[in-house]
Amino acid sequence: MEHSIQENLATVRASLREGVRLIAVSKTKPVEDVQQAYDAGQRLFGENHALEMRDKHAVLPNDIEWHFIGHLQSNKVKYIAEYVSLIHSIDSLSLLQVVDKEAAKHNRVIDCLLQFHIATEETKFGLDQQEAEALLQSDEYRAMQHVRIVGVMGMATNTENTQLIRSEFAHLRNLFTQLKQRYFANADSFREISMGMSHDYPIAMEEGATLIRVGSAIFGARNYNN
Ligand SMILES: *Cc1c(COP(=O)(O)O)cnc(C)c1O
């Protein structure tokens, strides 16, 4: 039986561990669906296309926190820089430079996560540890005034193998801990681990997620692959 968005939200919320925030991933879904979730009290939403986020932001309530969760092209940053709360998908120094530049135009500091490639699949975007450290050590990064790195993000392999999923999440938490020690020991703001989607968020929470990104378990299956 189909459950309502409100019922689905209640179910996911009831399973949240302490300290975990839920991002409702509304990509491909109409604004009416976002509004329904909003009316049920949800305030954090995730989108993975800049123009879609821009259009939804324009018509939906102002107190929504918009999270950008997908691969972000540099030439699209300008559509989200004015209002985005958190960009989960920083996967290069050059993208971070563009975010810094666009944030400056709006006199903002934009919070960002470094996205890591933790899955065994080849297709997913993301940094490895060496690339992340090179970014954090670069003069370009150190000169930035309008971005703040507040944690890490990753996607596990799309599989039924829960052992594999668990080990990939544990790896991301481990990366978080190492970066925290080496680069952010005195920064309380560096505290987010964004991991877990509809099919694997319970495992992600057990492995230390602070942000989970849940779409289809709230809004139902998407019509096209996104
Ligand atoms: C689509 C998407 C999600 C949500 O996926 P569901 O399986 O629908 O919960 C989470 N994270 C990212 C990066 C996504 O692109």
Side-chain angles (χ1 to χ4, degrees):
M1 207 187 83
E2 279 274 291
H3 291 277
S4 69
I5 289 170
Q6 191 173 1
E7 287 169 329
N8 290 338
L9 255 180
T11 305
V12 177
R13 284 212 190 107
S15 69
L16 289 184
R17 291 196 167 206
E18 207 186 317
V20 180
R21 291 189 296 154
L22 169 65
I23 300 166
V25 175
S26 48
K27 63 189 189 192
T28 80
K29 297 296 178 180
V31 291
E32 291 75 20
D33 289 13
V34 182
Q35 185 69 50
Q36 272 190 46
Y38 180 91
D39 292 341
Q42 183 65 27
R43 292 295 179 271
L44 276 57
F45 290 90
E47 291 284 339
N48 71 342
H49 282 116
L51 293 173
E52 186 176 345
M53 179 183 271
R54 177 194 65 180
D55 293 346
K56 285 176 174 167
H57 169 263
V59 298
L60 283 157
N62 271 330
D63 60 341
I64 288 179
E65 268 189 38
W66 293 99
H67 289 242
F68 195 89
I69 61 169
H71 182 62
L72 181 55
Q73 291 169 278
S74 295
N75 62 355
K76 301 282 169 59
V77 175
K78 59 176 179 282
Y79 299 121
I80 64 171
E82 191 173 356
Y83 56 85
V84 69
S85 311
L86 180 60
I87 298 176
H88 290 230
S89 44
I90 299 299
D91 58 4
S92 70
L93 177 64
S94 61
L95 175 60
L96 195 60
Q97 285 178 297
V98 174
V99 174
D100 185 60
K101 200 179 93 198
E102 293 295 328
K105 290 182 187 167
H106 299 284
N107 239 324
R108 299 189 65 203
V109 174
I110 296 182
D111 284 347
C112 296
L113 304 179
L114 296 179
Q115 180 171 354
F116 283 91
H117 182 276
I118 56 169
T120 53
E121 293 156 316
E122 276 300 318
T123 52
K124 303 256 155 66
F125 291 100
L127 303 160
D128 62 26
Q129 181 168 3
Q130 217 179 346
E131 291 165 338
E133 297 212 26
L135 184 158
L136 293 169
Q137 289 169 14
S138 69
D139 293 338
E140 291 90 339
Y141 166 66
R142 286 165 195 227
M144 292 180 196
Q145 305 274 338
H146 295 274
V147 291
R148 181 171 73 160
I149 295 177
V150 300
V152 301
M153 179 269 207
M155 289 168 86
T157 303
N158 188 5
T159 173
E160 301 293 310
N161 181 345
T162 56
Q163 290 285 84
L164 179 62
I165 293 171
R166 187 178 296 282
S167 70
E168 290 172 357
F169 287 152
H171 177 53
L172 185 62
R173 188 196 44 207
N174 196 26
L175 285 167
F176 169 85
T177 305
Q178 290 187 43
L179 295 182
K180 174 93 187 155
Q181 281 168 359
R182 289 185 199 160
Y183 302 95
F184 299 98
N186 298 316
D188 290 340
S189 55
F190 188 85
R191 60 165 186 232
E192 304 291 0
I193 304 178
S194 168
M195 60 186 186
M197 305 165 45
S198 290
H199 70 286
D200 58 15
Y201 74 85
I203 305 173
M205 290 195 294
E206 287 167 14
E207 296 302 326
T210 64
L211 291 166
I212 58 170
R213 312 176 308 267
V214 179
S216 43
I218 296 170
F219 295 106
R222 286 177 294 275
N223 289 330
Y224 52 95
N225 218 353
N226 209 296

